Amino acid sequence: MSTPTYDATSRTAEAGGLTLHYHEAGPDRPDGTVIMLHGGGPGASAWSNFGGNLPFFAARFRTLLVDQPCFGRSDKTAPDRDYFSYSAAAVAALMDELGIPAAHFIGNSLGGGTAARLAIDHPDKVDRLLLMGPGGVSVNLFSPDPTEGISRLFAFNASPEPTRAQMRDFLLTMAYDPAIVTDAFVEERYAQAVDPEARLGAARMGAAFARWPEESQVWREAHRITRPTLLTWGREDRTNPLDGALLALRTIPDARLHVFPHCGHWAQTEAADAFHRLALDFFLN
């Protein structure tokens, strides 16, 4: 199978009253479906978070990387409820549109909160749940709040004219190894983040969290997640620190935890090989 490219895998669909953009690839006879939901930093999209992982998962699974509402090339309509519920409903509608009865989910950060909410609201649509430093279900027990990563995200999004230096500062909090934050990477994410449509989407997502703060606390309902759940964390995560895993691990009935050493908020990049092996074993066994 040739390496999946952005253009060759790009798709759109009407789902739940929204136009959603996603990438899809996979074999003719897959071992199931994997849906991957990205984080919420400036310039984030399905491809920016998971494009590098698509070849691995598409070798075995029907794999979808979904631009959540307000991100990437999906609609930037203002949410009419808390963001996690809004995005989860959109993803559930996309599954119905594409004829996907159930799937394994990988959710990073913001996408982890969406995946967890989907497992609560639509449990029949979730086979297994892999959450990576997830928002919503993690609570900082020992680390200050907001964390360093969240503070830099807020600073970028709140700036009338955000700078490349602010983008670099934000990206450096995501990584354990600063070498992955190259000039080209900063420029790519910066160009995506300052696009007027991207800024509108970020503002509308942020407004939803501000308007429905209580409903955004998915951890309060984490005991309702009945599907097998693998929590994964970078030991050096400065956005959703490792201590945030403890409540989710205690509350989700069928949860287990894996910690990647020498790793920040992006295990799929900094610990890609180990992350791939872990996900494959979890989904197939």
Side-chain angles (χ1 to χ4, degrees), residues 39-44 49 109 147-157 163-175 181 185-186 189-190 193 238-239 265-266:
N49 258 199
S109 198
T147 63
E148 183 181 3
I150 296 300
S151 294
R152 293 188 179 184
L153 183 155
F154 287 164
F156 187 98
N157 285 343
T163 66
R164 289 174 174 81
Q166 287 178 304
M167 174 59 76
R168 184 181 296 277
D169 286 345
F170 167 71
L171 294 176
L172 285 170
T173 65
M174 300 291 107
V181 184
F185 184 34
V186 171
R189 285 289 294 257
Y190 180 75
R238 291 184 283 160
T239 299
H265 197 51
W266 289 330

Side-chain angles (χ1 to χ4, degrees), residues 5-36:
T5 64
Y6 182 99
D7 289 336
T9 59
S10 179
R11 312 277 191 274
T12 59
E14 301 297 317
L18 297 173
T19 299
L20 296 180
H21 176 258
Y22 63 100
H23 298 272
E24 180 175 357
D28 292 334
R29 301 181 66 182
D31 290 324
T33 300
V34 172
I35 297 176
M36 306 176 79

Side-chain angles (χ1 to χ4, degrees), residues 193-210:
V194 297
D195 176 84
E197 282 291 305
R199 299 214 72 191
L200 176 64
R204 287 178 168 172
M205 176 204 68
F209 279 100

Side-chain angles (χ1 to χ4, degrees), residues 35-230:
I35 297 176
M36 306 176 79
L37 301 175
H38 60 82
S45 68
W47 190 263
S48 71
N49 258 199
F50 292 119
N53 309 103
L54 184 56
F56 176 85
F57 287 97
R60 297 289 297 267
F61 303 96
R62 181 184 182 184
T63 305
L64 279 71
L65 318 182
V66 180
D67 283 343
Q68 296 189 76
C70 297
F71 287 90
R73 290 167 58 187
S74 288
D75 276 350
K76 311 298 188 298
T77 307
D80 59 2
R81 70 201 88 164
D82 74 276
Y83 184 81
F84 292 134
S85 297
Y86 181 71
S87 185
V91 174
L94 178 65
M95 295 174 70
D96 290 341
E97 179 68 23
L98 299 180
I100 301 172
H104 302 304
F105 278 85
I106 297 176
N108 180 212
S109 198
L110 179 81
T114 296
R117 171 50 70 186
L118 199 147
I120 294 169
D121 291 349
H122 307 276
D124 57 315
K125 293 185 178 298
V126 178
D127 287 327
R128 293 191 166 216
L129 193 62
L130 195 163
L131 305 178
M132 308 166 56
V137 298
S138 60
V139 177
N140 299 335
L141 301 181
F142 309 117
S143 302
D145 202 6
T147 63
E148 183 181 3
I150 296 300
S151 294
R152 293 188 179 184
L153 183 155
F154 287 164
F156 187 98
N157 285 343
S159 176
E161 295 184 12
T163 66
R164 289 174 174 81
Q166 287 178 304
M167 174 59 76
R168 184 181 296 277
D169 286 345
F170 167 71
L171 294 176
L172 285 170
T173 65
M174 300 291 107
Y176 170 75
D177 181 3
I180 72 172
V181 184
T182 63
D183 291 344
F185 184 34
V186 171
E187 189 61 34
E188 176 186 349
R189 285 289 294 257
Y190 180 75
Q192 293 170 352
V194 297
D195 176 84
E197 282 291 305
R199 299 214 72 191
L200 176 64
R204 287 178 168 172
M205 176 204 68
F209 279 100
R211 184 175 179 184
W212 292 284
E214 298 298 320
E215 292 83 351
S216 301
Q217 306 302 312
V218 182
W219 61 268
R220 295 177 175 178
E221 298 178 73
H223 63 279
R224 295 175 53 200
I225 298 175
T226 59
R227 308 309 301 151
T229 302
L230 175 58

Side-chain angles (χ1 to χ4, degrees), residues 228-273:
T229 302
L230 175 58
L231 302 166
T232 69
W233 244 271
R235 189 180 63 192
E236 286 76 30
D237 193 328
R238 291 184 283 160
T239 299
N240 289 337
L242 177 57
D243 61 279
L246 299 178
L247 184 61
L249 182 62
R250 176 66 180 85
T251 305
I252 298 172
D254 191 4
R256 66 278 284 152
L257 172 66
H258 182 92
V259 180
F260 296 97
H262 312 298
C263 181
H265 197 51
W266 289 330
Q268 77 274 24
T269 300
E270 293 197 282
D273 289 344

